[in-house]
Amino acid sequence: MKGLQDKVALVTGGSSGIGQAIAIRLGEEGASVAINYVGRPEGAVSTKEAIDHGVEICMKKLSDAGGRPILVAADVSDEQAVDQMFEHVLGEYGRLDILVNNAGIQIAEDSDELSAADFDKVLAVNLRGAFLCARGAVRAFLAAQQPGVIINVSSVHQVIPKPRFLGYSVSKGGMQNLTRSLALEFAARGIRVNGLGPGATVTPINRSWIDDPVKRRMVENHIPMRRAGGSEEMAAVAAFLASDEAAYITGQTLFVDGGLTLYPSFETTWSSE
Ligand code: NAP
């Protein structure tokens, strides 16, 4: 894709699932990728190895392709850790072009039983973390007087309520205005900010149903395309949004969801007959 070669990207939560696939895809497109993780370094190492492998494949195809992945541990909800992460990335590469705010968690609980601590925890990682990292990236773009791209990995639950996952749906609803407000504030300075809204995707966050055929069928029956998405399908759209192919897109969230945001229960006529 146009404009990714030799760029520097930071992907939060790059040790697993969608973030891992995005990191690999950006690496395959010729970007150098800093892979952030928090608690499972072994996952991050496998991402790095996969990127190295992906870059090797690209090197065969493109004589001058080749990224230089690094690992950066940081809890994105921790302001000091995030500042140190940006120092590390800028110190290593001397620049930053792309931030992918992907790190995310969810906690299931009846909302009347949900503890304030658990509500705060989800907001801290999913929303405060995205803000802290976006702020770090914008500072880097402005200091270098260069364009930049931020991609916020949101969710269909940016617009679809999610009972029993209150912190999660509130965080993703907030992400919509994080995306739109930052996009408007910095559009004139060459910074694009967009959202990617995955539907149900086969990743470890969904371990409760992906390996159980009965539960999985129940989930997939709700999806108009009748299947869950793959991380690579999310990564392809993230790469597009990060690339110059999307040079005129800002403030938008692209839902990649097999039709889940299309009010699936209206697939058959029930309301007017
Ligand atoms: P996942 O496989 O569970 O991966 C989550 C990633 O976030 C891991 O790399 C994890 O790092 C990282 N992380 C968690 N807390 C963090 C923190 N405090 N600081 C830094 N990194 C942290 O989940 P996923 O399914 O790929 O989800 C990725 C994003 O897509 C999330 O924002 C999620 O809300 C969104 N999404 C997913 C789906 C889906 O169906 N899978 C649907 C819609 C939206 P460690 O491995 O080090 O713990």
Side-chain angles (χ1 to χ4, degrees):
M1 273 178 215
K2 265 200 310 196
L4 292 175
Q5 184 73 48
D6 299 327
K7 291 286 163 57
V8 173
L10 167 61
V11 181
T12 70
S15 52
S16 175
I18 292 171
Q20 184 178 61
I22 292 173
I24 292 169
R25 179 64 191 260
L26 292 175
E28 287 173 347
E29 294 285 345
S32 292
V33 185
I35 306 151
N36 159 259
Y37 65 97
V38 64
R40 300 185 315 109
E42 67 291 348
V45 169
S46 84
T47 305
K48 183 176 182 300
E49 283 167 3
I51 289 178
D52 286 341
H53 181 62
V55 168
E56 270 170 35
I57 293 168
C58 278
M59 290 278 275
K60 287 184 192 137
K61 294 183 187 163
L62 306 162
S63 57
D64 60 349
R68 198 160 52 84
I70 61 165
L71 298 175
V72 272
D75 177 347
V76 294
S77 66
D78 178 334
E79 185 172 19
Q80 203 185 351
V82 169
D83 289 347
Q84 284 168 356
M85 173 169 73
F86 277 87
E87 272 171 37
H88 182 166
V89 171
L90 292 168
E92 190 72 34
Y93 295 117
R95 60 182 289 151
L96 179 72
D97 304 286
I98 299 160
L99 165 70
V100 181
N101 265 325
N102 165 82
I105 58 170
Q106 60 181 15
I107 295 175
E109 184 58 274
D110 292 342
S111 297
D112 54 319
E113 296 294 334
L114 181 65
S115 71
D118 279 351
F119 180 82
D120 288 349
K121 190 173 169 189
V122 175
L123 268 288
V125 176
N126 296 11
L127 196 52
R128 174 185 157 91
F131 152 66
L132 291 174
C133 292
R135 188 181 66 180
V138 168
R139 285 176 177 168
F141 301 153
L142 294 179
Q145 294 186 303
Q146 62 168 61
V149 178
I150 297 174
I151 295 166
N152 292 324
V153 179
S154 183
S155 167
V156 289
H157 297 295
Q158 178 171 302
V159 292
I160 301 175
K162 193 173 187 188
R164 299 194 69 253
F165 291 81
L166 193 64
Y168 188 80
S169 62
V170 168
S171 73
K172 297 302 186 181
M175 205 166 219
Q176 176 166 33
N177 266 350
L178 183 76
T179 298
R180 287 164 57 84
S181 297
L182 289 174
L184 184 56
E185 191 169 344
F186 296 106
R189 282 174 273 181
I191 298 171
R192 294 190 299 108
V193 186
N194 287 297
L196 166 65
T201 309
V202 180
T203 74
I205 211 174
N206 289 324
R207 58 183 71 79
S208 64
W209 56 263
I210 50 180
D211 295 326
D212 179 328
V214 176
K215 285 188 186 166
R216 184 162 176 163
R217 204 171 320 114
M218 274 172 58
V219 170
E220 293 186 324
N221 275 342
H222 287 285
I223 302 169
M225 290 179 74
R226 301 292 190 272
R227 67 172 178 86
S231 293
E232 296 75 17
E233 291 175 300
M234 307 304 146
V237 178
F240 163 69
L241 287 173
S243 79
D244 290 347
E245 312 280 1
Y248 204 49
I249 303 178
T250 198
Q252 307 304 310
T253 297
L254 244 170
F255 292 103
V256 186
D257 63 358
L260 205 50
T261 41
L262 297 175
Y263 296 92
S265 68
F266 279 84
E267 188 179 315
T268 53
T269 310
W270 57 267
S271 56
S272 311
E273 289 178 331

